[in-house]
Amino acid sequence: MSTSPLREMARVLRQNGLVRFFEHFAALYPDIHLKDLIIDDMGPSREMTVNGEHLINFGSDSFLGLDQHPRVKQALIRGTEKWGTHNGASRAFCSVHANEEAERKIASWLGTEEALIYPSVTLANMGAIPGLVGRNDVLIVDEQAHNSIQEGAKIAKANGANLRTFSHCDPADLVRAFHSADRYRCALVAIDGVYSMTGALPPLQELNEVCLRHNAVLYIDDAHGTGVIGPNGRGTVLQALGNYDNTFVIGSLSKGFSCMGGFVGCSHDFKMLLKMRSNTYIFGGPVPPPYLEAVCVVIDILCSSEYQAIIDRLKQNLQRLTRGCHALGLNVTGGQSPIISVLVGDEADTLRAGRFLFEKGYYVQSVTFPAVPYHAGVLRIQVNANHRTEAIDGLLAALASLRAQIPLPNGDTTQQAA
């Protein structure tokens, strides 16, 4: 053989369009890529050290700053002392009491009958979606829904579901998708509660009305709304619809909660059905018990008067940054959630912009195709409750300097989707 099977496999993989795209940019711009960063140290107000460089981190989705909260830290320590680091069994066989308690408290806080915890939101979407629809059913997905929804949809399609898409956040195009689906037994429409690359919120009421007219259920991945939107952080669904009568809500325990895992909020019947139908629940392993103890403490915080002080700080930081970006004339999306995106456009310019801010002492995420449409690269900024005011102002000053270096689209420029 002229080459080994492994080398041949690597050669073939490098012919993939996305791999070629990534390797092309990594080779062209090795000093500005800013991926695979290794953080050496972290401080209480989002300070961090990367390769000896001291920065403020605006790339963290620990929106409420609870990863630094003493009660949450202590819960992890107590959980380790009580349970050890891991309980070492699929939940199909057994669960620690902390898991049952966390699910009970999540459901009570959220306002659903039940909650089912998965190791992550990704595994929730990749297990629940194909568990809910199959042959003779239709699954309709927002074209900009999170990658984990798209991957779950591929599994559902392979299992026989009729997969359709509709234009981003467009109720009229959702109607078209239903009409194109012909006859179906059951229907599920999968969307995000907060779109993670833009911070945008969908028109939930209008989409739900379309679903009800077409005998369909709405499935909402609210990972980026959990803990930060609506009363006591219950998320976008309850805030927009007032109930969960026609919805599954998927929440994150690793973003606003600063713990680990994801959950599905549902009825008692569907909790039992998902336990039987969701392969990632059966085979995905459990959330380690110390984090389940911490989840219970986070819910106590969300339901206390302390939460209002935390969310007020987050909103003040978000408003300060959003207003400052608009004052600079930047093209900004988001602002209703702790994610705002500043449009740059060109992929190389987007990477250069991220590197420029990095050298000024601020880390933001430079997001390019395929996470966003081609030539619609953005600086994705995530605001946290424990960012200091001077850090917000410093980032705005750095963005003002950036405008002198890289031509950024003005605020009245319409962002076009590819």
Side-chain angles (χ1 to χ4, degrees):
M1 294 177 64
S2 59
T3 185
S4 73
L6 279 174
R7 287 183 179 178
E8 177 62 14
M9 181 177 288
R11 185 193 69 79
V12 171
L13 287 175
R14 284 197 165 89
Q15 303 309 306
N16 175 270
L18 284 180
V19 173
R20 290 167 62 190
F21 178 82
F22 290 139
E23 291 194 336
H24 170 73
F25 269 90
L28 276 181
Y29 308 107
D31 297 329
I32 63 174
H33 211 259
L34 291 182
K35 299 297 187 288
D36 292 327
L37 292 181
I38 304 298
I39 299 172
D40 300 314
D41 190 29
M42 295 176 63
S45 301
R46 292 290 167 251
E47 308 92 344
M48 69 178 187
T49 304
V50 178
N51 293 330
E53 300 288 337
H54 301 290
L55 303 106
I56 304 297
N57 184 5
F58 280 92
S60 170
D61 56 22
S62 184
F63 303 125
L64 300 174
L66 296 181
D67 58 312
Q68 300 293 328
H69 197 289
R71 287 177 61 193
V72 179
K73 290 181 177 180
Q74 282 300 121
L76 279 165
I77 294 169
R78 288 196 309 272
T80 303
E81 291 171 346
K82 181 175 182 178
W83 302 106
T85 60
H86 203 277
N87 59 309
S90 165
R91 289 196 62 204
F93 291 103
C94 64
S95 298
V96 296
H97 183 268
N99 213 133
E100 182 183 45
E101 177 69 4
E103 288 179 340
R104 184 191 66 77
K105 295 188 80 166
I106 289 169
S108 177
W109 157 74
L110 192 67
T112 55
E113 276 187 18
E114 297 281 0
L116 184 64
I117 291 177
Y118 289 74
S120 70
V121 172
T122 294
L123 289 176
N125 286 334
M126 293 179 68
I129 290 172
L132 291 168
V133 289
R135 196 174 301 278
N136 299 321
D137 299 329
V138 64
L139 170 63
I140 307 178
V141 177
D142 185 301
E143 64 183 3
Q144 291 189 26
H146 192 269
N147 173 265
S148 58
I149 287 180
Q150 307 286 354
E151 293 300 309
K154 290 176 185 177
I155 299 172
K157 181 180 180 182
N159 291 344
N162 180 2
L163 177 60
R164 304 282 167 154
T165 62
F166 70 102
S167 298
H168 180 47
C169 290
D170 188 342
D173 199 54
L174 177 57
V175 172
R176 176 205 56 77
F178 275 115
H179 290 167
S180 73
D182 298 322
R183 294 180 180 179
Y184 50 84
R185 182 180 59 179
C186 296
L188 189 71
V189 175
I191 64 172
D192 289 11
V194 177
Y195 285 85
S196 60
M197 290 300 113
T198 63
L201 275 60
L204 278 176
Q205 285 189 335
E206 292 89 338
L207 293 172
N208 190 47
E209 288 169 3
V210 173
C211 287
L212 289 170
R213 292 202 304 271
H214 293 85
N215 195 32
V217 177
L218 198 55
Y219 178 103
I220 304 111
D221 176 347
D222 203 26
H224 292 84
T226 309
V228 296
I229 290 180
N232 298 98
R234 293 185 179 98
T236 60
V237 180
L238 194 62
Q239 176 173 265
L241 301 181
N243 60 64
Y244 302 102
D245 293 349
N246 192 51
T247 64
F248 295 102
V249 58
I250 291 72
S252 174
L253 301 173
S254 64
K255 294 179 171 60
F257 271 60
S258 297
C259 293
M260 183 177 178
F263 64 85
V264 177
C266 58
S267 67
H268 175 76
D269 284 347
F270 273 105
K271 180 173 182 175
M272 297 306 298
L273 289 167
L274 286 171
K275 282 185 175 184
M276 293 182 283
R277 293 270 301 167
S278 184
N279 283 341
T280 57
Y281 171 84
I282 300 168
F283 300 105
V287 173
Y291 283 99
L292 298 167
E293 298 283 0
V295 165
C296 293
V297 169
V298 168
I299 293 173
D300 290 342
I301 293 171
L302 296 181
C303 295
S304 73
S305 58
E306 182 184 4
Y307 175 74
Q308 194 58 50
I310 295 171
I311 200 67
D312 284 348
R313 289 200 304 271
L314 177 60
K315 289 178 178 178
Q316 288 165 10
N317 285 343
L318 181 62
Q319 290 170 1
R320 191 177 190 92
L321 183 61
T322 304
R323 289 171 181 167
C325 286
H326 283 301
L328 291 173
L330 300 172
N331 189 313
V332 178
T333 57
Q336 295 170 284
S337 74
I339 303 168
I340 70 169
S341 290
V342 175
L343 180 64
V344 180
D346 178 76
E347 280 68 28
D349 282 347
T350 304
L351 296 177
R352 290 191 187 99
R355 183 69 198 190
F356 179 90
L357 295 176
F358 187 91
E359 291 174 351
K360 292 287 186 181
Y362 302 94
Y363 171 67
V364 304
Q365 295 171 342
S366 302
V367 182
T368 62
F369 177 83
V372 293
Y374 188 58
H375 278 355
V378 297
L379 297 174
R380 181 174 181 250
I381 305 171
Q382 298 183 92
V383 180
N384 292 181
N386 56 342
H387 277 128
R388 296 183 184 275
T389 301
E390 52 266 34
I392 304 288
D393 293 343
L395 177 58
L396 287 168
L399 286 166
S401 299
L402 175 64
R403 294 216 69 170
Q405 302 294 321
I406 295 176
L408 301 178
N410 293 322
D412 56 358
T413 303
T414 301
Q415 183 171 345
Q416 298 293 326

